[in-house]
Amino acid sequence: MESESIISKQFYAGSDISKDAQISTSIFKSNNTKTKKHIERPTSLFGLMVLAGTFLLMLTGAFFVFQFQPDFDQLHFERINSTGGLIFLGITVFLFVFKGGIFLYNLFLYLKYKPVESVSDELLPTCTVIVPAYNEGKLVYDTLMSLANSDFPEHKLQLLAIDDGSKDGTWYWIQQAKVKLGDRVAIFQQPKNQGKRHALYRGFNLGTGEIFVTVDSDSIVKKDTLRNLVSPFVTNEKCGAVAGNVQVLNNKKAILPKMLNVSFVMSFEFMRSAESMLGSVLCTPGALAAYRSTAVFECLPEWIEQTFMGQPSDIGEDRAMTNMILKQGKHVLFQRNAIVLTNVPEDYTGLYKMFIRWGRSNVRENIMMLKYVFKDFRKESKFGARLLCTDQSLRIIMTYPFLIFMFYFIATHPLLFISATLLGILIVSSFSMLFYAKRYSLAESFWAYSYSVFYTFGLFWIAPYSIITARKKGWLTRG
C-alpha cells in the first residue's frame, strides 16, 4: 500500500485563502469507503535503526523465554503451591479474562461502527468554531486558514480566535488571519494568560451557533471535517457531543511523532469507534470536538468553577465537559471521517508532561464519573458507560499493585521479567500493528512495536505518578 504525507498547506490547497497553498488537492478527493493514508515511509537511517533495534530486542526476548522455559515452569510450580501464589494466580486469571473479554467486545463494536454521513447544506446547523491560542506562533494562522476553507456554508459558520495572553507572536498571526479573512473571523485577546478553560469559556459565551466546535491552535482540519463532525447532531437528537479523529501533523519531524501517530490511530479509530457504539465516548479531544450549545450551557457554570480537592481545575477541560454532558444523559459519539492533524511533542520531556496532564485528568474525571454512572442518569441502556467506567477504574486501582509486583519480579528474576515483557510486547502490539497496516500503511505500522517498548520501559511511571499527584495544578507544557 502506498502512503502519502499531509502537511498543513494541503488542507486548503487550491483555495485563494493562502498564497502559499498551491499543492494539489488530490490527496483529499472524496472517498467515503476508503481511508486515505498520510504517513511517509520511514526512510531515515536513524528510524530504520530504531525499528531494527526494536525487533532485535523482541526476538531476543522470545528466544530467552524459550531458553528459560524450565525456570518459568519452576516459578509457576512455586506459585501454585503457596497460598499467596494461588491468590496472585486467581487475580491474574480474572484480569486476563476481564481484559480479554473487553477487547473482544470492543472488536465486535468496532466492526459494527460506521461514521454518520455528512448531511446536506440545508440541514447543517449553525456552528461556532472556537480556537483558543497560547504561544503557537504562525501555526494558529494555518489553523484558522484551514477552518475558513471548510466545506461549510459561510452564513452558518462563526469563527472565533481567542489569544490567551501569549508571549510570542501568536496575537500577530491571529491579526494577520483577520486581515486575510475579514468579517469571517472575530478575534479577541485575554488581558492575561488565564488558561485554556477560560479562553473557551469566553468563546462559549460569545458564540451564537447551535453547535460549538473547539479546535486547538496547533491543529489543521480537512476541508470536509466540520460538516462531518456536526452531522450526528442532525441525525441523532440525543447526541450531546462528538469527538473528532485526531492524527499527528508533525510526523515527519521526529521519531516520537511517528510512534504517537500509530498510537493515536489505535486510540481513536479503534477505541473511540467502540465507545461511540455505546454512545459513551469518554473524552472529546481538545484538538477537535463538537458540543450541542444547549448541553454546554446546562453545565457551563459547573464546568468553569470545577475544583478537585479544593484546587481550581485548570487541566482536563475536554474530559470534564464530556463527563458533564454524559451525566446529562446525552450521547457522546465519534466521527472517524472528521479528521484533524495536530502537533505532538517531539522530545521526551514534552511527551511525559503531556501524559502526566492526561493522567491526572483521567483520575479526576473517573472519580467524577463514578458518582453518577451507576445511577439512573440515562433512559437508554447504561451498560456501556458503566463497563467503560469499570474498566478505567480497574486500571487505576491496579496501578500500584502491578508496580509493586513488577519491582519484586525485577529484583528476584530480572532476566525472566525482561524476556517475558519483550515477548508480551511482541504479541500484544501485533494487533495495533495489523490494525494500522490495514487502515493505512504496512511500513509505518511497525512503529507500534517501538512505541510499546518505549512506553513500557520509559513511561511506565506516568500512571502511578499521575495518581499520587492528581491534586496538582498546572498545564506543565506552558511557560
Side-chain angles (χ1 to χ4, degrees), residues 390-404:
T390 300
D391 185 37
Q392 290 284 318
S393 300
L394 197 57
R395 290 185 187 184
I396 295 172
I397 291 170
M398 293 305 299
T399 295
Y400 280 100
F402 177 79
L403 190 68
I404 293 170

Side-chain angles (χ1 to χ4, degrees), residues 113-116 228-245 268 271-285 288-292 322 325-326 330-336 338 378:
Y113 169 83
K114 289 183 180 180
V116 175
N228 288 338
L229 185 70
V230 304
S231 290
F233 294 101
V234 179
T235 61
N236 183 353
E237 62 181 12
K238 296 175 183 177
C239 177
V242 177
N245 187 359
F268 282 89
M271 286 304 303
R272 279 175 173 79
S273 292
E275 293 174 357
S276 187
M277 291 299 297
L278 301 171
S280 302
V281 173
L282 296 181
C283 182
T284 51
L288 179 66
Y291 309 98
R292 197 180 295 274
T322 309
I325 290 176
L326 280 172
K330 295 180 173 60
H331 296 177
V332 180
L333 307 177
F334 166 68
Q335 276 289 81
R336 187 171 62 201
R378 180 189 288 174

